[in-house]
Structure formats: structure tokens, C-alpha cells
Amino acid sequence: MKRDFKDWFGKFKESICDYSYYINFDKVYRNVDNIKVELNILNSLVGSKNIEQEFLALVQEYPKVLKCIPLLLAVREQEIYAIDPEGEYKFNFRDSNYTLQEYVMFMRKTGLFRLISERIVNNLVDYATGVEVGLDSNGRKNRGGHLMENLVESHLQRLGLVKDKTYFKELKASTIQKQWGIDLSAISNTGKTEKRFDFVVKKDNKIYAIEANFYAASGSKLNETARSYKNLAIEAKEIPNFVFIWITDGLGWKAARHNLEETFDVLDTMFCINDLENGELEKLIYS
């Protein structure tokens, strides 16, 4: 029975974020632990009435405290550029490259001395932990990119497939050709374009090549994505014992739903998460 696009699209999900998507606290704690000693040494300056002189004396005795200063400014790198009418600087906090007086100037002009001496924060370890949480939120895009792959992989494993035995991750078309002797020139522009699939399943005499993605937000990229997969779907039909599967989802497709529908019309093996949950992938592979 022919599937209805409107009904199929109506089952798309708003999000697939799990609990670990938001912050990687293990990474946060690990990064802070690496400089906890130095941060605690700097804590001796909290509330200081003579912070410039005390900082100077502190760095002379414990020069390694410099390495934790970039994080106090939410900077990952150990080199920081700074320019003003008085000069241009590139401060190195791993291997000091300026006089201590110039590092004092850096602390003053960036506002770190005020932060510490006026007790705006009372504990630099706690403050650094908060900064790390903020920096780690930038990693959500990378974590989000793996959520759909992880979800699809979990379904493959539920089907009894075994990684690197019956299913494989991120295989190039050239690798598929060498490993199983199948001609994929129809989808590789006669070898000029190297296609890589997120997953490849080898079952009996058939090869199932899977692309998986989730779009929570719209963008101009989606129309091109739908068009490229439509072309791939048409080309794949010419290859014996080769099945192209596209698993996609997300309300980001709303603005590009017409292009998505065009691909849906030519690709019977186009699934959403609801299809996986209802066993459509299992029916296809084990039919």
C-alpha cells in the first residue's frame, strides 16, 4: 500500500536529545581538576586589599598559576591577544613571554583583579566550574550530530546485527566495492565522487547502505540534502542487490517539506524514527 507523505511527516519528532546532550559533566570536572591546585592558590587573593603586589609575589613563587588564567576569561587557548593604545600583546600563559608587571597589567585591564579582590566571586574553583559548563554548551552541536547515529545504531543492534561483522559504520563506496565486489559506479560518478555511508548492513546477498540525520532547525542546506538523496535513490535502483536507506526526522524539515516529499515519492526505503519503532527496518532487512 502506498504510503501517505502527510501522515508520515506528521509523526516527525521535535527532538531526540537525551540527558547527556546538554552538558558533559565528566569533561567539566576533569578539566577543572587539572588546574584545581593552581586555582586554590589563586584563591588566596580573594578579597585582597593589595592584589597587584600580592599577585606579583604569588606568581614569583608559584609561576604555574598563570596557566589557569585563560579559563577565568572563558578562553581555551593558552595564548591571548590584547591590543590597546599602549601596545599590542600576545600573552602566553604556559610559557611566560612578558615581564610579571605586564601580566599584572593584563589582570588589571581584563577586570580579573576586580573580580577577585572585590569578592565578586568567593571561590575560583567554583567559578571555573561554571565557566567550563558554559564552554561545554558549545559542544552540543557535535553531540547533537551523533544523537541520530546513536539512535539508529541502537536499532541495528536490537535486530541482532553485530558491529564490524554484520553492520559497519562510515564505509566509503570504494571500501564496499572492494569488500563485496559490487559495482557502485552508478552512484559515484564513475569513481570521481567518493560517497560515504553512515551505516552499511550486509545480510545474505544484499547490501543495505544507510544515511541517518536529524534536523531540529530549518536551513537552506535541507533543500539540497533532499535533492541529493533523491538523485542517490534513483541511481541506487540501478544496482543489483544494493538498497539505499535514508532515515531522517526532525521538525527542521517543515520549511523544506516539499523537497522532502519529492524524495519520499521515489524512495520507498525512506524512514523516520517512528518507522524504526514500528519495525519497518526489521521488515526490510529480514524480509
Side-chain angles (χ1 to χ4, degrees), residues 114-132:
R114 184 184 174 202
L115 178 79
I116 298 169
S117 66
E118 296 185 13
R119 293 186 181 274
I120 296 172
V121 296
N122 290 313
N123 187 302
L124 292 176
V125 175
D126 294 343
Y127 171 81
T129 302
V131 172
E132 278 288 351

Side-chain angles (χ1 to χ4, degrees), residues 168-223:
F168 307 82
K169 292 185 70 172
E170 297 186 345
L171 280 195
K172 294 180 179 179
S174 59
T175 303
I176 297 171
Q177 292 185 124
K178 290 176 185 177
Q179 192 159 335
W180 293 295
I182 187 170
D183 182 9
L184 297 182
S185 58
I187 63 171
S188 63
N189 194 20
T190 320
K192 295 178 182 177
T193 303
E194 180 72 295
K195 175 64 184 171
R196 183 177 67 178
F197 295 97
D198 293 327
F199 298 97
V200 173
V201 173
K202 179 68 168 65
K203 183 70 171 63
D204 299 328
N205 67 330
K206 281 192 175 182
I207 293 172
Y208 301 87
I210 302 171
E211 286 285 275
N213 40 51
F214 185 94
Y215 296 101
S218 60
S220 57
K221 174 186 175 183
L222 295 187
N223 286 320

